[in-house]
């Protein structure tokens, strides 16, 4: 690793996010512990208690549902509000997540991406935030920790300009718990970049209004449509804010999508989040061997940048979408949006599409495994939906048990038992 | 004019009108410059106890705060009937988020006001019994435990009335609801341990807990006013009869609230930091029969196959309250006086 530049410090991703959020001067922070998000709110707790971040109310709530609800109350009273969560916590607050979006409240929330149980699993994948793709929140996915920090500054700006809540999604543990040289955005620059919060709607005794009335069929469609328009407007604004961020801070962060070695790429890998690093390394290696392969990283998953993705895939003959979550009974979640993008290429030609589900529940995504599926894709022998590194023997064993007995018992426990009996590890296949 | 001390038997209903009281004790609603936080034109049912209770509570809180008040409302009847937009009956900043989160939203409002240095603006949370004792209970307890500067008022009509009268954790034993029907050998709601949220609130040792009914509006206002003089988490539990859900006459709302208290079924008291500081004594004790017979939800106890055994169990509940909270004056207690 290279020596940190003067504005960088060797800190944990969570610490960096906490310091960055503090520089955005939130007035209310609602905190509830859940791994792997906890270090963020812990660090913020110290920043508020020590007086470094002031004025700010740090509320230790009794649940994620209360965390989002208190953020709603704070935001509608005209204060910049922030919270962070993950996994089960995000699901526990879902009703309030939709409510915040429906009310159009510019709350910013970090989601430290983690799998959803059962079976309970604390490790990284994207099933938590993907479950909220239709909630009306903007969803930005960080490729690395520096981007995670920077996206928070941009998120507050986007949220408040559009009056819409924003989720900054960063891979749990892989990013949140990684120590690396990070530049926490400079306070003066943040202040210049992020103007004072001017709420579009506010509870004020001097000008009493009612918020949260029941809306019937006469206007519900229009309210929802306006939320959709806001997201479409965000497509422009996300790109604009990213450019302005680069001008102010001198770094490329955010935006809608980012292409890597795509210009002549016959095969393009699409992904979001920290796996992009491993994918780029793999692609670099395959490039040296003459493969025409590139990468498209999606930063803005909601709104989905159909046009930008369409442009990025314009010359590709093959698209491999690597997903850290999937829709059970269907397959790829991101894939369906990518497919819709390529349908508009206008060339009458559609690339072959493959979905690779990888890294569920924290299973490592290795270069070796990626290279294998990419190679299979290039040879057009990859299944349209592939579960990377799936232990087929383990699966078959359980299928046999289910067939053999009407009371075969709990699947997850059966698999763990069999793994131990066989003294096997998660397969580390060599290439 | 010097007012005479009240002798309650002078009024047939045992209620006290403003005209019998010295000016300083008269109801806020008697004042020509009352706040009218909840204006007419809302869509509550005729005889709605909740509308009456909310109007008195919010007006008293507005007056106590010099109109610097923000209200957060749980989903429920009060929310629905007050804001059939573009009409809203509220004359103060008012917000509805969800069914279960009113106390937490109120926490957020209070936190924002604190961060903004707006110490002059106060926060009122309100909801029905479903939103308070059941689905919103976790948020309520959290708000209590943190001692957030919120006055939370539960308007208790003892079931989920907005969805069509289903049982809540505040539904009394034997009462008929759509999910505890008057059929089978044990008709109506089960006899359970009950979920007494005022007592649970007291266990949090918050600054102030009180119960009240819409039969004693001056008492209700006085409690709101006192609550507003304190900082931190405060809880007010107001019994509000519901003609629709209780199967009672719209004209009997006040009478039923009074009988609930006078029978001992609904003890009216206040507490500070977990200790009871005052109890509204029963003025003229009545058997629970008087209260139950006016309500369709108990009709199965008095019909073709009467259930005196169940009525006796309910009387036992009232008697226990009377003893537990000391609801009778010593004198009345000794004579064992019960109006027949």
């Amino acid at each position: 690793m290279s020596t940190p530049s003067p504005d960088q410090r060797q800190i944990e991703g969570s610490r960096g996010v906490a310091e960055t959020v503090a520089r955005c001067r939130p007035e209310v922070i609602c905190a509830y512990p859940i791994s792997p998000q906890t270090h963020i709110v812990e660090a913020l707790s110290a920043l508020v208690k020590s007086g470094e971040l002031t004025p700010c109310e740090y509320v230790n709530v009794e649940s994620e549902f209360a965390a989002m609800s208190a953020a709603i109350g704070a935001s509608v009273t005209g204060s910049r509000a922030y919270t962070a969560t993950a996994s089960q916590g995000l699901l526990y607050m879902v009703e309030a997540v939709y409510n915040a979006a429906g009310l159009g409240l510019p709350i910013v929330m970090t989601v430290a991406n983690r799998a959803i149980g059962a079976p309970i699993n604390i490790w990284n994948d994207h099933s938590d935030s993907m479950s909220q793709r239709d909630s009306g929140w903007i969803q930005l996915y960080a490729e690395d920790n520096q981007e995670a920090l920077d996206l928070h500054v941009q998120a507050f700006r986007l949220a408040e300009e559009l009056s819409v809540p924003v989720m900054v999604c960063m891979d749990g543990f892989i990013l949140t718990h990684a120590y690396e040289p990070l530049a926490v955005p400079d306070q003066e620059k943040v202040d210049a970049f992020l103007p004072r919060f001017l709420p579009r709607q506010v509870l004020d005794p001097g000008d009493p209004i009612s918020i949260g009335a029941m809306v019937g069929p006469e206007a519900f469609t229009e309210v929802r449509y306006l939320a959709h328009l806001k997201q479409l407007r965000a497509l422009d604004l996300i790109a604009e804010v990213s450019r302005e961020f680069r001008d102010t801070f001198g770094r490329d962060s955010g935006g809608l999508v980012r292409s890597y070695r795509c210009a002549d790429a016959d095969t393009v890998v699409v992904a979001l989040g920290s796996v992009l690093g491993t994918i780029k390394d793999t692609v670099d290696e395959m490039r040296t061997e003459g493969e025409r392969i590139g990468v498209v990283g999606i930063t803005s998953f909601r709104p989905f940048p159909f046009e930008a993705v369409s442009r990025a895939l314009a010359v590709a003959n093959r698209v491999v979408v690597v997903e850290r979550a999937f829709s059970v009974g269907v397959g790829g979640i991101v894939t369906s949006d990518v497919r819709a993008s390529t349908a508009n290429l206008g060339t009458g030609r559609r690339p072959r599409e493959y979905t690779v589900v990888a890294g569920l529940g924290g299973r490592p995504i290795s270069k070796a495994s990626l290279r294998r599926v990419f190679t299979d894709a290039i040879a057009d022998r990859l299944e349209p939906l592939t579960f990377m590194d799936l232990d087929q023997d383990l699966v078959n064993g359980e299928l046999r048990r289910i067939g053999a007995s009407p009371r075969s018992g709990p699947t997850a426990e059966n698999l763990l038992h069999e793994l131990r009996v066989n003294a096997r590890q998660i397969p580390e296949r060599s290439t | 004019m010097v007012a005479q001390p009240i002798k309650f038997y002078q009024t047939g209903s045992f209620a006290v009108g403003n005209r019998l009281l010295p000016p300083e004790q008269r109801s806020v609603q008697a004042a020509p410059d009352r706040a009218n936080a909840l204006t007419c034109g809302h869509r509550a049912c005729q005889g709605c106890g909740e509308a009456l209770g909310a109007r008195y509570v919010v007006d008293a809180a507005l007056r106590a705060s010099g109109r610097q008040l923000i209200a957060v409302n749980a989903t429920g009847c009060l929310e629905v009937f007050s804001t059939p937009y573009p009409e809203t009956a509220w004359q103060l900043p008012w917000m509805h988020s969800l069914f279960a989160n009113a106390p937490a939203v109120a926490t957020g409002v209070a936190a924002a006001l604190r961060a903004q240095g707006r110490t002059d603006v106060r926060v009122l949370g309100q909801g029905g019994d479903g939103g308070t004792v059941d689905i919103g209970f976790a948020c309520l307890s959290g708000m209590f435990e943190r001692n957030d500067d919120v006055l939370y008022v539960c308007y208790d009509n003892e079931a989920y009335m907005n969805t069509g009268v289903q049982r809540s954790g505040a539904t009394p034993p034997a009462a008929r609801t759509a999910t505890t029907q008057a059929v089978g050998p044990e008709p109506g709601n089960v006899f359970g341990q009950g979920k007494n949220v005022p007592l649970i609130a007291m266990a949090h040792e918050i600054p102030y807990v009180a119960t009240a009914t819409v039969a004693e509006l001056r008492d209700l206002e006085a409690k709101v006013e006192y609550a507003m003089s304190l900082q931190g988490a405060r809880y007010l539990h107001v019994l509000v009869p519901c003609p629709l859900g209780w199967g009672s006459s719209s004209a009997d709302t006040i009478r039923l609230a009074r009988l609930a208290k006078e029978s001992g079924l609904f003890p009216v008291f206040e507490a500070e930091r977990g200790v009871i500081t005052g109890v509204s004594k029963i003025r003229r004790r009545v058997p629970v029969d008087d209260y139950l017979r006016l309500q369709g939800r108990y009709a199965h106890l008095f019909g073709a196959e009467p259930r005196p055994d169940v009525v006796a169990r309910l009387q036992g509940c009232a008697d226990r309250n009377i003893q537990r909270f000391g609801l009778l004056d010593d004198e009345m207690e000794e004579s064992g006086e019960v109006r027949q």
Side-chain angles (χ1 to χ4, degrees):
Chain A
M1 191 170 287
S2 58
T3 318
S5 72
D7 62 337
Q8 288 182 323
R9 283 179 296 138
Q10 181 80 11
I11 52 175
E12 194 194 37
S14 293
R15 173 83 210 173
V17 168
E19 289 187 17
T20 305
V21 166
R23 289 181 187 189
C24 295
R25 303 190 191 276
E27 283 188 323
V28 176
I29 294 170
C30 314
Y32 190 81
I34 182 166
S35 298
Q37 153 280 151
T38 317
H39 289 183
I40 299 171
V41 290
E42 284 175 359
L44 280 165
S45 151
L47 291 170
V48 174
K49 198 146 185 133
S50 66
E52 257 178 272
L53 173 54
T54 186
C56 181
E57 290 293 311
Y58 185 92
V59 189
N60 278 296
V61 288
E62 73 282 356
S63 71
E64 288 90 356
F65 177 67
M68 185 47 62
S69 300
I72 287 169
S75 186
V76 82
T77 310
S79 281
R80 191 169 281 164
Y82 170 82
T83 189
T85 193
S87 183
Q88 316 295 141
L90 181 61
L91 264 60
Y92 197 69
M93 66 163 71
V94 164
E95 195 190 8
V97 166
Y98 274 73
N99 193 249
L103 290 165
L105 297 175
I107 297 160
V108 170
M109 170 163 69
T110 312
V111 175
N113 286 114
R114 168 185 151 182
I116 290 170
I120 186 170
N121 175 301
I122 64 164
W123 307 107
N124 167 247
D125 70 32
H126 288 171
S127 8
D128 49 4
S129 54
M130 284 290 159
S131 79
Q132 295 308 297
R133 66 166 192 187
D134 299 334
S135 63
W137 285 58
I138 288 177
Q139 286 194 355
L140 306 174
Y141 285 76
E143 181 174 339
D144 56 32
N145 265 326
Q146 187 61 59
E147 187 170 49
L149 271 55
D150 298 345
L151 282 178
H152 281 85
V153 184
Q154 299 184 30
F156 279 107
R157 174 75 183 278
L158 286 166
E160 291 170 14
E161 209 158 317
L162 294 166
S163 208
V164 66
V166 180
M167 264 178 223
V168 179
C169 306
M170 60 189 291
D171 285 316
F173 293 110
I174 296 169
L175 294 182
T176 55
H177 287 55
Y179 280 75
E180 54 184 320
L182 293 173
V184 176
D186 179 70
Q187 182 69 71
E188 274 179 31
K189 287 180 183 167
V190 174
D191 287 343
F193 187 82
L194 192 58
R196 214 179 107 81
F197 172 36
L198 293 174
R200 204 168 286 233
Q201 51 186 342
V202 67
L203 294 173
D204 174 10
D207 181 17
I209 53 171
S210 299
I211 299 174
M214 177 170 279
V215 175
E218 74 281 8
F220 194 81
T221 304
E222 288 70 24
V223 173
R224 299 305 300 145
Y225 177 70
L226 283 163
H228 178 62
L229 280 190
K230 238 183 223 186
Q231 291 259 336
L232 297 187
R233 166 83 187 92
L235 284 173
D236 297 330
L237 196 62
I238 288 166
E240 241 171 79
V241 165
S242 166
R243 280 194 295 274
E244 201 182 312
F245 186 90
R246 185 185 55 210
D247 294 345
T248 310
F249 295 89
R251 275 195 297 277
D252 261 325
S253 280
L256 296 170
V257 298
R258 232 167 297 154
S259 294
Y260 180 76
R261 306 189 83 164
C262 278
D264 64 338
D266 190 50
T267 303
V268 174
V269 183
V270 178
L272 23 75
S274 64
V275 72
L276 283 164
T278 318
I279 292 174
K280 285 177 184 173
D281 286 352
T282 311
V283 162
D284 286 344
E285 288 177 10
M286 292 174 76
R287 276 269 173 190
T288 60
E289 293 152 18
E291 293 293 355
R292 283 162 50 206
I293 182 167
V295 188
V296 169
I298 294 172
T299 308
S300 169
F301 178 61
R302 282 293 176 273
F304 193 82
F306 290 104
E307 272 184 43
V309 172
S310 171
R311 271 196 307 275
L313 300 178
V315 300
N317 286 315
R318 213 171 281 105
V319 177
V320 183
V321 186
V322 177
E323 305 215 35
R324 273 197 137 116
F326 74 105
S327 173
V328 180
V330 175
I333 300 169
V334 183
T335 304
S336 59
D337 292 336
V338 171
R339 187 172 298 138
S341 308
T342 55
N344 296 329
L345 284 179
T347 55
R349 176 191 62 83
R350 296 200 60 181
R352 284 173 191 269
E353 275 148 355
Y354 300 95
T355 301
V356 174
V357 177
L360 297 185
R363 178 165 293 185
I365 299 180
S366 65
K367 278 196 293 186
S369 296
L370 285 173
R371 168 190 277 262
R372 192 170 52 251
V373 292
F374 297 163
T375 306
D376 286 353
I378 290 165
D380 285 328
R381 59 169 181 256
L382 190 66
E383 290 294 320
L385 175 61
T386 299
F387 287 80
M388 194 171 88
D389 294 339
L390 184 75
D391 184 340
Q392 195 62 54
D393 293 344
L394 200 56
V395 170
N396 291 343
E398 178 64 3
L399 291 175
R400 271 196 303 277
R401 275 186 296 274
I402 290 170
S405 162
R407 191 183 281 188
S408 54
T411 293
E413 286 70 14
N414 286 346
L415 297 197
L416 291 178
H417 182 73
E418 186 170 324
L419 274 179
R420 198 172 72 172
V421 166
N422 297 348
R424 288 194 310 202
Q425 301 293 316
I426 294 169
E428 289 283 354
R429 294 177 194 142
S430 58
T431 48
Chain B
M1 189 186 87
V2 180
Q4 296 295 313
I6 297 299
K7 292 187 171 69
F8 287 108
Y9 58 77
Q10 289 176 327
T11 62
S13 65
F14 271 45
V16 184
N18 275 305
R19 66 191 168 82
L20 295 173
L21 292 165
E24 68 275 10
Q25 287 184 26
R26 289 181 186 172
S27 158
V28 170
Q29 291 305 316
D33 60 343
R34 63 183 186 268
N36 259 340
L38 182 66
T39 56
C40 59
H42 62 68
R43 298 182 186 179
C45 305
Q46 194 178 41
C48 173
E50 187 174 35
L52 178 64
R55 181 156 66 91
Y56 275 70
V57 164
V58 182
D59 280 359
L62 265 183
R63 188 172 67 154
S65 65
R67 300 196 74 101
Q68 299 299 299
L69 186 69
I70 292 173
V72 175
N73 218 116
T75 310
C77 279
L78 180 59
E79 170 258 323
V80 170
F81 76 63
S82 64
T83 54
Y85 233 77
E87 295 139 44
T88 175
W90 298 105
Q91 300 295 307
L92 77 168
W94 178 95
M95 129 137 254
H96 156 248
S97 172
L98 296 168
F99 198 9
N101 71 356
V105 174
T107 288
V109 174
L113 291 170
R114 237 172 94 93
Q116 293 166 19
R118 294 291 306 267
T119 49
D120 56 324
V121 183
R122 308 297 302 279
V123 187
L124 173 74
Q126 45 186 5
D129 50 295
T132 304
V133 319
D134 285 349
I135 198 169
F137 186 69
C139 287
L140 185 71
S141 175
M143 188 274 281
F144 287 164
E145 170 273 317
R146 293 184 299 269
N147 199 26
D148 295 326
D149 190 24
V150 173
L151 168 60
Y152 187 91
V153 182
C154 170
Y155 303 104
D156 178 10
N157 54 23
E158 302 189 327
Y160 291 90
M161 300 314 185
N162 192 42
T163 45
V165 196
Q166 295 84 18
R167 177 199 187 272
S168 83
T171 300
R176 179 201 69 203
T177 69
T179 51
T180 56
Q181 301 211 5
V183 294
E186 303 284 338
N189 193 25
V190 292
F191 278 79
Q193 295 87 352
K195 191 196 242 186
N196 191 322
V197 172
L199 292 180
I200 298 170
M202 281 171 62
H204 291 73
E205 303 199 358
I206 57 176
Y208 186 65
V209 173
T211 65
T213 78
V214 286
E216 310 260 352
L217 293 166
R218 283 192 322 99
D219 174 66
L220 174 59
E221 287 178 340
K223 283 169 175 166
V224 171
E225 204 168 313
Y226 183 67
M228 291 297 290
S229 75
L230 304 171
Q231 304 286 323
R234 292 141 290 146
Y235 180 70
L236 192 53
H237 191 101
V238 189
L239 184 71
V240 292
C242 169
L244 173 80
W246 293 16
S248 57
S249 161
S250 296
D252 280 338
T253 295
I254 306 295
R255 186 197 312 274
L256 281 168
R258 182 174 301 116
L259 291 171
K261 183 224 165 193
E262 297 295 283
S263 64
L265 280 174
F266 187 83
V268 176
F269 62 94
E270 51 190 336
E272 294 186 47
R273 301 257 169 226
V275 179
I276 290 183
T277 52
V279 171
S280 293
K281 299 284 185 184
I282 289 172
R283 292 182 186 141
R284 180 176 53 176
R285 190 176 178 186
V286 296
V288 294
D289 263 60
D290 288 17
Y291 172 68
L292 303 176
R293 281 181 189 275
L294 291 171
Q295 303 176 52
R297 62 176 172 160
Y298 295 112
H300 55 280
L301 305 181
F302 303 101
E305 295 170 50
R307 295 295 300 265
D309 57 323
V310 177
V311 176
R313 282 185 79 181
L314 290 166
Q315 184 62 54
C317 298
D319 294 346
R320 181 163 178 273
N321 279 341
I322 289 170
Q323 198 175 26
R324 182 177 190 185
F325 292 93
L327 298 178
L328 290 178
D329 279 331
D330 296 345
E331 207 180 310
M332 209 191 287
E333 209 152 16
E334 277 164 24
S335 70
E337 182 195 329
V338 176
R339 186 177 67 90
Q340 294 303 316

